[in-house]
Amino acid sequence: MARTKDPAVRTLLLERAAHMLRTREPITLRSLVAGTGVSTMAVYTYFGSMDGLWQALRQEGFTRMAARFADVTPSDDAVRDLTALVSAYLGNALDHPDLYRVMFDANFDLEDLQAADDTLEHLVQAADRGRKAGRFAAGTVPLDLATQTWAVAHGLVSLVAGGPLPRTTLGYGPPMLTALFVSHGDEPGRCRRSVERGWEVPETPAA
């Protein structure tokens, strides 16, 4: 009778691999499982091969980000929602910096290519609702605005999550987002208030 797979073991191996990549430790079957309490066979049991582990590792990053985005409940204020999605993006990257680094490493394939597109779609839909509500100019292309919003988030967190700048750098987020949204037609004062409502990323690490 086949042994039931333990999701905790799969997660343990994924997080161990991500950490080793970030710290540039040589990764072999033996080094991966060292100190984990599981055997090298676990890699084959849960991923089929080392290549399968790399694919799963990158996929896990998008899976966790999608779950974070799903927790952002759409409101009648699309600008607030776009900001809240950025906050969710930053929070996910800061909580899982090892996985975040691997997410955008195109050297590894994704198990499900649609997963990456689906995360961007959350931003596209919020941008489109803002355009339809008159917050953004009628000529605004939702995908363009979503991509620009993502670029702000990615740039900030790349400099902070294991990067050269302190967590307080995230405080540049609200004025950058405000400037972006205003450039697409939102009224400055109203925009600032919406961004403030959606911004929930802590500027200092939790004690």
Side-chain angles (χ1 to χ4, degrees):
M1 180 176 179
R3 180 180 297 179
T4 302
K5 292 182 180 180
D6 183 355
V9 173
R10 184 179 188 276
T11 299
L12 172 67
L13 291 173
L14 287 173
E15 293 184 346
R16 166 77 172 153
H19 175 74
M20 294 178 72
L21 283 172
R22 183 170 66 91
T23 55
R24 295 181 173 84
E25 297 179 51
I27 302 177
T28 65
L29 274 172
R30 291 188 180 279
S31 65
L32 179 64
V33 302
T36 64
V38 301
S39 70
T40 55
M41 185 56 65
V43 175
Y44 297 99
T45 299
Y46 288 87
F47 306 104
S49 65
M50 286 294 286
D51 285 346
L53 180 139
W54 304 139
Q55 291 180 344
L57 187 64
R58 192 174 178 209
Q59 195 74 48
E60 182 70 12
F62 282 100
T63 297
R64 295 190 187 190
M65 187 166 71
R68 201 70 166 252
F69 278 2
D71 286 339
V72 177
T73 302
S75 69
D76 58 1
D77 184 341
V79 175
R80 172 265 170 198
D81 295 348
L82 270 173
T83 304
L85 288 168
V86 169
S87 291
Y89 182 92
L90 299 180
N92 180 70
L94 294 170
D95 286 348
H96 309 291
D98 300 339
L99 284 175
Y100 180 78
R101 182 186 180 96
V102 179
M103 283 172 63
F104 301 101
D105 188 342
N107 290 317
F108 307 131
D109 292 331
L110 280 172
E111 295 174 328
D112 177 12
L113 292 174
Q114 189 62 39
D117 291 339
D118 288 346
T119 53
L120 178 59
E121 187 62 21
H122 285 275
L123 296 167
V124 173
Q125 291 299 319
D128 190 44
R129 287 191 291 106
R131 180 182 61 82
K132 291 176 179 177
R135 297 293 298 271
F136 304 128
T140 295
V141 178
L143 177 58
D144 290 347
L145 178 53
T147 303
Q148 291 162 5
T149 302
W150 191 312
V152 170
H154 185 71
L156 280 172
V157 81
S158 294
L159 292 170
V160 174
L165 298 182
R167 180 76 67 98
T168 53
T169 304
L170 298 177
Y172 295 130
M176 292 172 69
L177 291 173
T178 299
L180 173 62
F181 299 150
V182 168
S183 75
H184 280 274
D186 201 16
E187 190 277 319
R190 186 181 185 188
C191 185
R192 282 192 295 272
R193 292 189 293 273
S194 293
V195 169
E196 288 173 359
R197 284 195 292 271
W199 189 257
E200 297 179 356
V201 177
E203 293 189 358
T204 55

